[in-house]
Amino acid sequence: MAESKSAKTEGLIYKGHPLRRVDNLIYYGTMAEKYIIMMQVLDTKKEQDLDVATKVSIQLQLTDPDLKSRDRVVKKSEKDSLYAAMDIAAIWLERALAGKEK
């Protein structure tokens, strides 16, 4: 069982859901589910050699391809760090997916 799980999970996994990054966008979740989280790094600052996010937009979105992108957004917020954004993103995604199964 451990072999099939490791072969299936490529890339980063956070609290059981995949993380994918494209430039300043981070997608949390999978398109196979009803909901996904999109985070956009809006602002950064230099900390030694690293760029650290100081403003992150979070959106809980429906994955329905028939909807316009504006109609897909269920919830949105802004946080002042990537840590805070990931924290709220994990909560929103778990609650949304749990609501789907009830």
Side-chain angles (χ1 to χ4, degrees):
M1 177 150 164
E3 290 176 16
S4 65
K5 184 166 176 81
S6 64
K8 187 175 111 178
T9 55
E10 298 173 10
L12 292 176
I13 301 292
Y14 180 71
K15 295 191 177 183
H17 300 284
L19 275 168
R20 299 284 181 258
R21 179 177 172 219
V22 180
D23 295 325
N24 65 337
L25 294 176
I26 301 168
Y27 294 95
Y28 179 49
T30 176
M31 292 299 284
E33 297 283 353
K34 186 174 180 181
Y35 296 96
I36 195 166
I37 296 282
M38 183 189 81
M39 291 175 277
Q40 182 177 13
V41 177
L42 301 172
D43 197 20
T44 61
K45 69 176 181 178
K46 262 312 199 205
E47 288 281 333
Q48 295 172 357
D49 293 341
L50 296 175
D51 286 328
V52 177
T54 57
K55 189 174 183 184
V56 182
S57 167
I58 313 146
Q59 293 183 351
L60 174 66
Q61 298 182 346
L62 290 162
T63 56
D64 186 350
D66 298 330
L67 293 174
K68 294 178 185 173
S69 60
R70 182 172 288 165
D71 295 336
R72 289 183 193 164
V73 177
V74 177
K75 280 185 179 181
K76 60 184 177 179
S77 181
E78 282 187 7
K79 296 295 175 189
D80 58 2
S81 71
L82 187 58
Y83 177 81
M86 287 299 303
D87 198 30
I88 198 75
I91 293 167
W92 281 3
L93 189 60
E94 283 304 317
R95 286 181 180 170
L97 294 176
K100 174 193 77 165
E101 296 170 0
K102 287 182 180 177

